[in-house]
Amino acid sequence: MGIVKISEQMHENLRVAGNALSRSINAQAEHWMRVGMLTEMYPELDYREICQLLIRAELAGGLDIAGAASGLVGKASTPAATKKH
């Protein structure tokens, strides 16, 4: 675990969003980082699909960046990307 320096404004944004969504500041920051990371890795997915991917990853044992980069999520290597309809 490490320390990440962020601006006062971003800290305030995290506090407000975290309170609104019943998350700690750290949990809100981690959520935004995960969503942002996956958005960059899978630009074809929308927010709903990213959230579904995160849920599948959690059920498979957690998000693994190596697996996500290779199109798999979670430690159990569950297929990641969902096709748009």
Side-chain angles (χ1 to χ4, degrees):
M1 181 152 99
I3 304 252
V4 176
K5 293 185 180 188
I6 60 172
S7 69
E8 290 294 322
Q9 183 62 53
M10 181 54 74
H11 189 272
E12 180 63 13
N13 292 341
L14 287 164
R15 187 189 66 73
V16 170
N19 284 340
L21 299 170
S22 300
R23 294 182 181 134
S24 69
I25 290 172
N26 287 345
Q28 184 64 40
E30 186 168 340
H31 174 72
W32 281 350
M33 286 187 282
R34 291 159 98 201
V35 169
M37 176 186 69
L38 291 169
T39 299
E40 287 184 348
M41 295 173 78
Y42 300 102
E44 71 279 4
L45 299 182
D46 62 26
Y47 180 74
R48 180 185 57 81
E49 293 166 322
I50 294 285
C51 289
Q52 290 172 346
L53 191 148
L54 284 168
I55 291 168
R56 285 195 307 275
E58 186 63 28
L59 291 171
L63 184 63
D64 173 34
I65 186 70
S70 66
L72 304 171
V73 294
K75 296 174 181 140
S77 300
T78 303
T82 47
K83 301 286 183 198
K84 285 198 169 193
H85 300 285

